[in-house]
């Protein structure tokens, strides 16, 4: 069940007729964007063979939690008819593969990987979670993600960077503010090369609003 912020993001960006391909999100806490993106990635990978998705968390512990409590949990709770059709490989601790037989006798493989940093390869879907925290705590790793992992996503791929604020400095702050100043100029077509900024403040948190009433 989507909350207010998730519903708006899905309808405005994920299901838009001309979707933005690279989005940088500044958000209030606990709005569920990591869960939403994890499940959307999983859906995209299941229904589109030869699709690679990567989610990067700012710590290894968070990467494990995303994989176990969001990705693996969702797979284990898929409807039985779907589970019977899907051939999966979950032998790796932070990666699940979906195997699709090809007409020629081979296999097509799609996969979701969750990690604490970027890896070599080509990714059609990339999500960098809590990037401001990574940039503050692990500056060199954050720079490597931007310089090494982002270029691995093709122009028609999709990238989400999301985070709560961690002060008015740092790599994430600079990236978001640079995009925010140009937001009125960035079209969906231009977002294949530069990030479109989105801001969800505390007024999108229905639970917090209810507590204060």
């Amino acid at each position: 069940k989507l909350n207010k912020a998730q519903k708006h993001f899905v309808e405005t960006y994920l299901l838009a007729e001309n979707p933005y391909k690279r989005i940088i999100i500044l958000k209030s806490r606990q709005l569920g964007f990591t869960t939403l993106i994890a499940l959307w990635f999983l859906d995209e990978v299941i229904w589109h063979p030869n699709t690679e998705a990567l989610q990067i968390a700012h710590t290894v512990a968070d990467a494990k939690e995303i994989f176990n409590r969001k990705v693996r949990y969702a797979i284990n709770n898929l409807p039985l008819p779907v589970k019977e059709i899907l051939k999966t490989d979950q032998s790796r601790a932070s990666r699940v593969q979906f195997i699709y037989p090809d007409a020629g006798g081979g296999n097509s493989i799609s996969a979701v990987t969750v990690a604490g940093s970027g890896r070599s390869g080509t990714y059609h879907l990339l999500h960098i979670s809590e990037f401001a925290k990574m940039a503050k705590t692990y500056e060199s790793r954050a720079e490597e993600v931007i310089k090494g992992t982002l270029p691995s996503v093709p122009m028609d791929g999709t990238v989400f960077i999301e985070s709560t604020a961690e002060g008015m400095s740092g790599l994430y702050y600079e990236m978001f503010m640079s995009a925010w100043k140009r937001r009125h100029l960035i079209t969906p077509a231009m977002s294949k090369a530069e990030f479109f900024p989105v801001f969800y403040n505390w007024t999108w948190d229905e639970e917090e609003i209810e507590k204060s009433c």
Side-chain angles (χ1 to χ4, degrees):
K1 182 179 179 181
L2 300 177
N3 63 33
K4 180 182 176 182
Q6 291 170 331
K7 187 173 186 295
H8 181 270
F9 189 76
V10 168
E11 293 176 349
T12 307
Y13 301 107
L14 297 187
L15 300 182
E17 184 175 348
N18 294 307
Y20 288 89
K21 305 302 289 184
R22 297 189 176 214
I23 298 177
I24 185 167
I25 306 165
L26 174 60
K27 63 183 181 63
S28 176
R29 300 181 184 277
Q30 305 300 321
L31 290 182
F33 278 97
T34 298
T35 299
L36 173 66
I37 294 171
L39 296 181
W40 186 70
F41 276 11
L42 183 61
D43 188 73
E44 288 290 295
V45 164
I46 287 175
W47 294 104
H48 299 91
N50 296 313
T51 298
E52 284 279 342
L54 173 64
Q55 287 193 272
I56 296 177
H58 81 289
T59 65
V60 173
D62 280 356
K64 290 180 179 179
E65 181 169 340
I66 291 171
F67 188 76
N68 291 325
R69 297 191 62 181
K70 305 182 192 306
V71 178
R72 193 188 296 276
Y73 178 83
I75 293 169
N76 291 340
N77 286 276
L78 285 169
L80 186 58
V82 177
K83 291 174 72 173
E84 290 176 342
I85 294 172
L86 289 175
K87 183 179 180 183
T88 63
D89 177 0
Q90 300 188 55
S91 58
R92 289 175 57 179
S94 60
R95 177 180 172 87
V96 57
Q97 293 187 159
F98 299 90
I99 304 163
Y100 305 88
D102 290 332
N107 291 315
S108 294
I109 294 176
S110 290
V112 175
T113 303
V114 182
S117 61
R119 301 173 182 228
S120 60
T122 299
Y123 300 101
H124 307 94
L125 305 167
L126 173 64
H127 170 216
I128 305 170
S129 178
E130 293 297 348
F131 187 61
K133 292 181 180 179
M134 181 192 296
K136 288 284 187 178
T137 311
Y138 310 103
E139 185 176 352
S140 60
R141 179 150 64 87
E143 290 179 356
E144 176 57 30
V145 167
I146 297 301
K147 294 178 181 178
T149 308
L150 276 183
S152 71
V153 181
M155 291 288 285
D156 61 346
T158 300
V159 180
F160 301 118
I161 297 179
E162 54 85 11
S163 187
T164 50
E166 292 289 325
M168 298 175 64
S169 64
L171 183 56
Y172 170 80
Y173 175 81
E174 292 168 3
M175 289 179 64
F176 183 86
M177 291 308 299
S178 176
W180 187 257
K181 292 173 183 177
R182 286 178 41 80
R183 64 189 183 280
H184 60 291
L185 301 174
I186 303 172
T187 65
M190 291 172 62
S191 73
K192 293 180 178 181
E194 59 181 305
F195 283 93
F196 180 76
V198 176
F199 178 40
Y200 289 93
N201 62 23
W202 66 271
T203 63
W204 291 89
D205 190 336
E206 294 173 310
E207 291 186 6
E208 283 300 316
I209 292 175
E210 288 178 3
K211 289 178 184 178
S212 63
C213 292

